[in-house]
Amino acid sequence: MSKNIVITPGDGIGKEVTAQARKVMEYMAKRFKLVLEFTEVPIGGTAYDLTGTPLPDETLQACKAADAILLGAVGGPQWETLDYSVRPERALLGLRGELQLYANLRPAQIYGELVGASTLKPEVVDGADIMVIRELTGGIYFGQPKGVEIRNGERVGFNTLVYSESEIRRIAKVGFETAQKRSGRLTSVDKANVLEATELWRNVVQDVHNDYPDVELNHMYVDNAAMQLIRAPKQFDTIVTTNMFGDILSDAAAMITGSIGMLPSASLGGKVGLYEPVHGSAPDIAGQNLANPLATILSVGMLFRYSLDLREADELIQKAVENTIKIYRTADIMAEGKTSVDCQWMGEEVIKSLEQI
Ligand SMILES: NC(=O)c1ccc[n+]([C@@H]2O[C@H](COP(=O)([O-])OP(=O)(O)OC[C@H]3O[C@@H](n4cnc5c(N)ncnc54)[C@H](O)[C@@H]3O)[C@@H](O)[C@H]2O)c1
């Protein structure tokens, strides 16, 4: 049976890294005797330049009809002065909302070879393997009312943090089920001492815990969680948290691993999963074949695991990446004694490495 993979390369290095990731998918399709059909559609600033909107209807419809979506990255300085409603980043919020992708999974796993690339001491990070699950379609990024208006003669900006019980319940379930498949430990992060919406969060997570007695649950305030992530990251296994706290904590967790160029993500919950690297469009290195494609290639691994039910393919890709970086490095993870390669070369080395496993 054929599977329809939609690729939305987006802007900047998004185009370069998805090109390498596509080659890995083509290789894996042959290896696992899958028929993958690829459709490439524009998104972000590139789509705005072509059609006047960052999320054209054609792109949205293609994504809705897909079996899985691979996204590069969106944004760039040339679109920063546009109205918020048509900024490239709006396409991401629109897509997540339309596809009901309420669960964002971001693994932050340190590869032994890259322990030295972290800004933290090797003994603090060696062996760290954290899965951050961020609620993606609710909370303060979506709550109403929001805006900037004049009150008492001055400008006032406001956003609303709102979570319904059902929104918390469904992401908590993802948290517990993910923890079950890992080491069985879940940390729920909130600010229940100050924010009523997250007091509800804590109560509902506690309630859902009754259905997962085999998972060890603890609650942590977000300020403490930020500190603990840097102080002793290995104490965490699976973390589940709100949209904004997850946005910040997952970037902090990411940096434990040394490079943003190594971090994949999956957004799940609806009918179709969306996979993308954690990094952005990196305008400073775009168009120069310098980007590290490994985050996107690892995102392909997650695509095989979660949307095509091929865990083995994900494990193979992770192993191939691990083997490749023993010798080859892009500039962002370059170290003494390694061979410096560009984006395309790195993609080719991953395929060679896959052929050897
Ligand atoms: N999901 C997304 O599409 C997404 C995420 C974050 C930022 N953005 C957008 O990307 C643009 C640039 O944002 P930014 O500079 O804050 O973040 P960024 O992730 O694009 O870049 C941050 C730094 O990391 C480097 N970097 C990022 N990815 C890399 C890779 N694969 N290989 C090597 N180096 C890499 C960049 O060169 C840069 O120095 C903005 O328009 C922002 O809105 C998009």
Side-chain angles (χ1 to χ4, degrees), residues 11 13 17 71-77 79-80 88-89 92 96 106 251 259-262 265 276-286 290-296 330-333 343:
D11 309 319
I13 63 166
V17 293
L71 188 138
V74 298
W79 300 291
E80 269 168 18
E89 293 77 4
L92 296 181
R96 289 167 185 164
R106 286 191 182 191
D251 267 27
S259 171
I260 198 156
M262 295 294 297
S265 80
E276 58 180 316
V278 165
H279 61 72
S281 57
D284 53 338
I285 56 166
L290 287 176
N292 182 348
L294 295 178
T296 316
T330 40
D332 57 314
I333 51 171
C343 181

Side-chain angles (χ1 to χ4, degrees), residues 10-11 43-50 54 74-75 79 87-88:
D11 309 319
I43 197 165
T46 305
Y48 174 81
D49 289 347
L50 286 169
V74 298
W79 300 291
R87 291 254 184 106

Side-chain angles (χ1 to χ4, degrees), residues 24 60 89 141 189 240 253 294 322 336:
V24 171
L60 181 59
E89 293 77 4
Y141 294 172
V189 174
V240 65
L294 295 178
E322 205 179 329
E336 224 180 288

